[in-house]
Structure formats: structure tokens, C-alpha cells
Amino acid sequence: MHFLCTSQDLAEGHSRAFSVAGIELFGVRRLGQVFLYRNNCPHRGIALNWAEHAFLDDSASLIHCAHHGALFAIESGECVAGPCEGDALRALGCLEDSQGIWLKV
């Protein structure tokens, strides 16, 4: 497992980028749960964000690809609108404990 950050460093309704062992990923906290995904849009295979920790739409209810406008459900990573509709982000294993948030590999 790889330590990502303390729980306080990923607030409710926010996202955050990480880089671990050459893997670019991001986390989103929604309704108290953390979801981790590879930072890779299934449409073109490029990073989703345009700013360091900017992965959510204006309402913070969907993951947003800044390059193509695709929208993804936070809980499943499924593309619900945009050029890759029906595809999904690649989910990564996550554990949150008293020390913080961990990437399970």
C-alpha cells in the first residue's frame, strides 16, 4: 500500500491529484467516502484536469474532463455525458484509516 495523504487533506466535495510509483491518479471525497481513479480520460488517454487538483464540475457532483467536457459519475467512474459515454475511468483500490488515505496495489 502507498500512503497518499491525511484524511483532512481531502475534504468533502473536493478532489486531489497524486502521483505514486509512476501512476498519475486522483481522489474524490463524496458523502464521506473516497474514490480513487487513474488520471486518464478514456476518450483520448490524456489527463482529465487542467489545474493541479481540479477534477470536478462546478456543482462538485461529477468528475469533469477539462479537455473534452466528458462527465463521469463519482461513485462508479462511468462516463454519463460526452465523447466517451458508456466508457469508464479506471478505479483504483483505496483504504482510509486513522492515518489517512492509502492506495491499495
Side-chain angles (χ1 to χ4, degrees), residues 61-85:
S61 63
L62 294 166
I63 297 166
H64 176 248
C65 177
H67 305 285
H68 307 109
L71 296 171
F72 302 86
I74 293 172
E75 296 84 356
S76 66
E78 180 184 353
C79 182
V80 296
C84 52
E85 193 168 347

Side-chain angles (χ1 to χ4, degrees), residues 9 16 21 45 67 75 92 97:
D9 288 337
R16 183 172 175 162
H67 305 285
E75 296 84 356
L92 299 168
D97 63 15

